[in-house]
Amino acid sequence: MKILVDEQLGLPIIRNEKAPQTAWKLREKLLLGLSPSDYRRALINNPVNWFLALVLLVGLPLLAQRYLFGLQAITHGSQDYPWGIILGFGLFGMVPLSASGFLLSTAVEIFDRKDFQPIERLALLNGLLGYFFAVVFLLVDLGMPWRLAYPMFVSFGPAAVLFLVAWHVATYLSVQIAEMLPSFSEWADTPAIKKFIKKIALGLTIAGIILSTLHQGALGALFCYAPAKIHPLWISPEFQWIHFFCSSIFAGLCMVIVVSSLIRRFMTWRCDRNFLDNLDEITIGLARGASYGLITYFIIKIVAIAHDQEWLYLVSGWGLYYLLEIVLAVLLPLFLFSYGVRHRIMGFLRWGSVIAVLGIVWNRLNTVLITYNWQHQQEIPHWKEVWVVITLLSIYFITYRFILYRLPVVFTWKQE
Amino acid sequence: MKLRVNRRTFLGSMVSAAASLFVGQTAENASAHDFTGYESSKGVLVDLSRCVGCRSCEAACNKEQGLPEPEIGFDDLSIFKQTGPDGKRRPDDKAYTVVNAYDPPLLDHPLFRKIQCNHCLEPACLTACFVNAYTKTPEGAVVYNADVCVGCRTCMIACPFSIPAFRYSSAFHPRIMKCIFCYDSRLSKNLPPACVEACPMEALTFGDRKTLLRIARNRLREHPGRYVQHIYGEFEAGGTSWLYLSPVPFADAGFDMHVPNQPIINYVKDFLAVVPMVLTIWPGLFAGFYLLSRRSGKAAIQPPQPEDSSDENTGR
Ligand code: SF4
Ligand code: SF4
C-alpha cells in the first residue's frame, strides 16, 4: 500500500519556524507543504482514497435519503429491533474502543508511567474521535437528531441510565477536547492554550476516569432494561455494567495497539524516532495491561454464569455460540498476549489486538442485535444500513488520518 | 505504608465531601422509583374466554385516536391468518391495539387476544426515558409527550411487552406511537376507553384496578373449570393496570411468560447504586495514586528522552 505523500515530495511540517518568503498557514499547515496541484496528485495516486470515494459516493446519498425520508428509507424500521446495527456498532462498539484516552492519560498523568508518554496523544486522539463519531452515529440513528441536547437543557429524566450516558458522554467529550488542545495549540502556534491545559491536566484526567467508568458501565446497564429479551448468557443485571466497563479496558488498549501498528506501517514518514523506537516496548506494556483486563473479564463472565445459575444454557445452541465468543474473542487474544509478551513476539500482540477489537464489537452486536429477542425471529440489517455504517466509518478514517498528518500526535513539535 | 493509607483516606474524604453535592441528587432519584401505583388507578379486565375476535375494539381505537385507515378492513377476518415478522401482528405505528387468534391445544376453536399497552404500575418505558416523555397519570394511564421525545427508542427496548412503536417512516415528525388509555378524550373525564365501550361481548371490563382484581378472583372462584388460576398482570412487570383471565395456559395464548414479576427498573437499580460510589470514591482514590506515584521516587523507570521535547518530560 502506498502512503499519501512520498518523502521526497514535500516536507512534513514539524515546527512553527517559517521559511523566509513563503506563504504560511494553508500550504504549510494544511497541504503538508505541498503545492495544491502536488497535493491533489498525491490524493489521486492513493488507491485507498479511491476506495473511500466509492464508499462515500453511495453512502452520502443514503444519508441524504435518511434525513429526507426517515429511518425507514435505509433500515427495516423494525418495531421489534429498535436498535439496529447503526447504534449497535456506532455507539456500543465505538465507545469501548475509545476508552484508550482515559486509560493512557491515567497511566501517564496519575501513575507517572512516562514510558507510555510517546503514545499518550495517540490514545487521546483515538478516544476523542471515537466518542465524537459515536455521537455522529447517534445523530444518524436518533429519530429526532435535532433534539440531541434535550436531555441537557429541555427535559430531564435523571433516573434513566441513558440520561447518565448522555451527560457523561457530553462532558467527557469536552474533557477530551481539552486534553487534545495541547497538540492543537502547538500546530496552531498558540502556546497560551497549552499552558492552561497543563495546569488543569490532573483534574481533567480524574474527571475522565470517573466519567469513563460510569458511562462505559452505563452502556452495559442500558441492557438491564431488557432482562427478559436478551439471551440470559449475554445479560446479567448485577454484572452487566462491570462486564462492559472491564471489557472497555482491554478494548481501548488493543485499539491503541492496532492504530499505532497501522501508523508505523503506513505512515512512517509522519512518526518521529521517539514514537518509532519506543513503540515495541509500549506495545508490550499495553498488551500486558490488556491481558490483565482480559483475564478479569473472563473471570467475571464465569462468575456471572455461576451467580445466575446459567450452566445449563451452555449446552444449548446459543450456549455453543456463547462459548465460541468466549474462546475466540477472549481466550484467544489472552493466549496470544501472554505468549507474545513472554517471548516478545510482536506479531502475536498485534494480531491479538486486532482479534480483541473485533471481538468486542462482536460482543456488543451479540448483545444489541443477535441475542436480542432470541426467542423470536432474527433481524438481518438492511444493506443500506450496513452501507451507512461503513460510510460513517470511512469519514472517521478520513478525519483520523487528516489529523494524524498534521497535528503533533505521533511526532514531537519542535520548540523554537 | 501506614502513612500512605492515611493520606489516601484523608484525601478521599475531602473530595467525597465535595462530591456529595452531586450524589445526594443521584440517590434521591434512584429511590424515587419505589413507587407502587396510584390508589385510584383505573384498569381494564380482559376475559379471553368471552372474546369472539370481532375486532370492534380495533376499529373503535382507530377512530378514537384518528389513526390511519388500515389496508385490511376491520370486518375482514382473514387478518387473523396474516403474519408479521414474529408470526403474529403486534401494535405498531398504525394501530395501538390488535387482536390476534391463537390455536391452543386445549381448545377446539381459536382463542382471541387483544394486545395493547398494559399501563404498568411502574412503567419500564417511563423509567427508561431520559427526557421524561412518559407520565403515569393518577388515573392509571401511561401517556407520552411527543414534544420532548428524542427518538432514542430505549422505551421500546425496555417495555417488557414490546408495545411502543416508532414512526420510522417520517423524517420530520417521527414519534412513538402507543395506546394512551384514551386519556385525553375519555379517561381524564372518568369515561371508559373506546375499545371497552365498543366490545359487544363484555370481554373488557373497565373499573378501579382493585375492584377488577376482586371481580377476577370471583370469576376464578365461581368457574374454576373455565379459567387457569392466574390473573396475568396482577404481578407481571410489577403489576399492570390491564389484567387478563384466560381459559388456557397463558403461554398458549401468546403471552410472554418470561416477563419478570418485579418492575423492570429493579434490574437497573444495582447500577444506579454504583453511580454515587464511583463519584465519591474515585476522585480521592486517584488523587491519592497521583500523590503516591510522585513521592515514591521512582528512579528506576527512565523516561524516554526525545531530542527536543524538553517540556514534555518535566512532570508535574
Ligand atoms: S406496557 Fe410497555 S408501554 Fe405500556 S406502560 Fe408498560 S412498559 Fe410502558
Ligand atoms: S424514544 Fe422518546 S419516549 Fe422513548 S425513551 Fe427515547 S426519548 Fe423517551
Side-chain angles (χ1 to χ4, degrees), chain A residues 183-227:
Chain A
S183 326
F184 177 80
S185 83
E186 287 171 0
W187 172 78
D189 206 6
T190 49
I193 300 182
K194 185 174 167 182
K195 284 219 187 73
F196 172 69
I197 297 292
K198 279 207 116 159
K199 278 197 205 122
I200 57 168
L202 178 64
L204 287 177
T205 305
I206 293 185
I209 303 172
I210 298 172
L211 295 168
S212 298
T213 316
L214 287 177
H215 71 244
Q216 296 283 2
L219 284 181
L222 268 182
F223 294 102
C224 300
Y225 282 118

Side-chain angles (χ1 to χ4, degrees), chain B residues 90-170:
Chain B
R90 58 159 282 172
D92 59 20
D93 54 332
K94 296 184 191 71
Y96 287 165
T97 184
V98 299
V99 178
N100 279 341
Y102 299 84
D103 291 306
L106 292 178
L107 293 182
D108 50 6
H109 57 85
L111 183 73
F112 299 97
R113 166 192 167 212
K114 176 184 185 308
I115 307 173
Q116 75 298 307
C117 170
N118 286 326
H119 299 278
C120 307
L121 302 186
E122 257 188 276
C125 54
L126 183 154
T127 46
C129 178
F130 72 151
V131 289
N132 230 348
Y134 288 96
T135 314
K136 176 87 176 164
T137 73
E139 298 88 343
V142 176
V143 295
Y144 161 82
N145 174 7
D147 292 336
V148 295
C149 173
V150 183
C152 68
R153 312 194 287 283
T154 315
C155 49
M156 298 168 67
I157 296 274
C159 171
F161 307 104
S162 300
I163 296 301
F166 195 71
R167 201 196 269 160
Y168 289 103
S169 52
S170 166

